Amino acid sequence: MRQGTDPLDEGAGAGGAGGLLRQPRAVWATAGASVVAFMGIGLVDPILPSIAEGLDATPSQVSLLFTSYFLITAVAMLVTGFVSSRIGGRKTLLAGLALVVVFAALAGTSNSVGELVGFRAGWGLGNALFVSTALAVIVGAAAGGSAAAILLYESALGLGMACGPLLGAILGDMKWRYPFFGTAALMAIGFVAITAFLKEQPRPARKTSLLDPVRALGHGGLASAAASAFFYNYAFFTVLAFTPFVLNMSPYKSGGVFFAWGVLLAVFSVLVAPRLQERFGSLKVLGGSLVLLAADLLVLGYGNHTTAVAATVASGAFIGLNNTVYTELALGVSDAPRPVASAGYNFVRWFAAAAAPYFAPKIEEWSDIHVPFVVAAGAAVVGAVIVWVRRASLTREAGERRPAHAAEDGVSVFAN
């Protein structure tokens, strides 16, 4: 029996709220696990100072939690399509979930920064396998068409990005180890739910090779989008990984700041970005948002504490806009299959997410606390310049907005 015949599917095809909510259990199980997966990205934000204190480590050492996580994620982009096209979406999801459960639990037992960084790398591999496959599985199992599935998935993304720091704050205020154990427990529940409710999805007709994403970068438009996104991601993850040390707040207060940041990110990514793109076009929205992000970073770096808090929250709006536009450009600018184009694009940009958490505190050690934000602002401006200089190669955009089509090819908007 096809999953869409689940009684919960009845009426899903009507669209709107009814279509969104009337989904089979397999979709809800995958979406719920997706929330937890995205929570894991910002989970450690509020507890970075607590981890540094608990393990007697420096900010640059603790920031390697992000570096190892995203370095493995970048490399894994070449592997996820290879794996899922051979063993299927369900098994890929379960493998990713199993790795997250194991390595998140191990992270909670760490007695040194080195152990924690290593376990976080294993966590990154599991998350890459899961996140890169989840949207394709949701669309394949969803009732009511891909539009409802996309909205559900992006809602899970926003909820996870907003709630990750909050969960980290609540559990981390008791002990810095507890957020890791909490994530492992939630992902274990997700593993059981997907095992029980999700049937295997059809495999793609063509298997993806390990080098396909690299070959796709030979297209000038895709290479331009990836290069610009590389510099943007450096700015993005300077905010995410370095700002907690600058704000120097309790886990609860820091969690509240990044919860508000995540809410803005979700709202601007899902609701605001499409409207601005329709009115001004993707390239103008992207270029303007990058310049505004650069200005915001300078305010964050040179303002007083209250101003820095406000600028941190405000950056979520620009990051939400950029995430959406970059993804749609990467998916629509070349003739490569969208999963392959997405993998090549992510392979490039996630290296910046690995670099920023390492270099930002190092730059502070070499200079002062303001300079890391100046560098990040400069990176955002470089991203905008690439968009402007290479605008001719980027004009074949994703029909200005094509998230539904992207989903049909199984591409994640955040693993994006």
Side-chain angles (χ1 to χ4, degrees):
M1 180 176 69
R2 190 180 70 83
Q3 287 176 1
T5 60
D6 189 300
L8 294 176
D9 290 350
E10 294 177 7
L20 176 64
L21 297 177
R22 296 178 181 176
Q23 296 293 340
R25 294 182 180 90
V27 172
W28 289 115
T30 308
S34 297
V35 171
V36 182
F38 292 124
M39 286 170 61
I41 294 174
L43 180 82
V44 299
D45 254 34
I47 58 172
L48 286 175
S50 300
I51 294 173
E53 181 180 351
L55 295 178
D56 193 24
T58 65
S60 60
Q61 288 175 320
V62 173
S63 293
L64 290 174
L65 292 175
F66 284 98
T67 297
S68 63
Y69 182 92
F70 287 112
L71 185 62
I72 295 300
T73 298
V75 175
M77 286 299 120
L78 302 181
V79 177
T80 53
F82 177 88
V83 172
S84 63
S85 66
R86 284 163 174 77
I87 69 173
R90 180 177 183 272
K91 291 179 181 177
T92 304
L93 285 181
L94 292 176
L97 286 170
L99 287 171
V100 172
V101 170
V102 170
F103 283 105
L106 288 173
T109 68
S110 301
N111 293 313
S112 69
V113 173
E115 288 183 6
L116 187 54
V117 168
F119 294 141
R120 182 77 169 164
W123 184 345
L125 174 60
N127 218 48
L129 288 171
F130 177 85
V131 171
S132 65
T133 311
L135 182 56
V137 170
I138 288 176
V139 171
S146 60
I150 285 291
L151 183 57
L152 182 63
Y153 182 83
E154 291 188 351
S155 299
L157 185 162
L159 184 62
M161 291 296 289
C163 292
L166 205 58
L167 178 66
I170 293 171
L171 297 178
D173 191 60
M174 294 182 281
K175 196 169 187 178
W176 69 262
R177 299 179 186 273
Y178 290 171
F180 298 107
F181 293 135
T183 299
L186 289 172
M187 280 305 221
I189 294 172
F191 184 96
V192 172
I194 288 176
T195 300
F197 298 122
L198 180 65
K199 298 178 182 179
E200 186 55 86
Q201 305 296 295
R203 300 183 190 181
R206 178 182 176 274
K207 294 180 179 179
T208 302
S209 78
L210 292 174
L211 293 180
D212 280 350
V214 177
R215 295 190 185 102
L217 290 170
H219 185 278
L222 183 60
S224 299
S228 179
F230 175 91
F231 289 100
Y232 155 65
N233 268 256
Y234 185 93
F236 176 179
F237 285 93
T238 296
V239 174
L240 195 61
F242 182 63
T243 302
F245 293 107
V246 176
L247 298 181
N248 194 26
M249 303 166 77
S250 69
Y252 271 121
K253 290 182 179 178
S254 183
V257 169
F258 279 96
F259 173 74
W261 170 87
V263 169
L264 272 187
L265 187 155
V267 169
F268 274 74
S269 177
V270 177
L271 301 178
V272 179
R275 289 169 172 77
L276 291 178
Q277 287 174 273
E278 288 173 359
R279 181 169 181 178
F280 299 106
S282 293
L283 297 187
K284 289 181 180 178
V285 171
L286 182 58
S289 182
L290 286 168
V291 171
L292 290 173
L293 176 61
D296 183 78
L297 285 165
L298 292 176
V299 172
L300 199 167
Y302 284 94
N304 59 29
H305 189 267
T306 301
T307 302
V309 169
T312 299
V313 173
S315 70
F318 308 123
I319 289 169
L321 290 174
N322 293 335
N323 283 350
T324 295
V325 181
Y326 269 120
T327 299
E328 294 176 11
L329 284 176
L331 298 181
V333 76
S334 76
D335 293 325
R338 292 188 184 98
V340 173
S342 178
Y345 159 77
N346 286 305
F347 174 69
V348 173
R349 79 180 187 110
W350 283 125
F351 277 109
Y358 175 77
F359 284 112
K362 286 292 185 184
I363 292 170
E364 182 199 7
E365 293 172 9
W366 299 333
S367 54
D368 60 50
I369 199 169
H370 308 296
V371 177
F373 293 102
V374 175
V375 173
V381 171
V382 171
V385 169
I386 292 174
V387 170
W388 173 256
V389 172
R390 298 289 296 170
R391 61 189 182 281
S393 65
L394 291 170
T395 50
R396 187 186 169 194
E397 302 168 17
E400 283 297 312
R401 294 185 60 243
R402 192 169 50 183
H405 294 170
E408 289 163 5
D409 284 336
V411 179
S412 162
V413 174
F414 185 80
N416 53 36

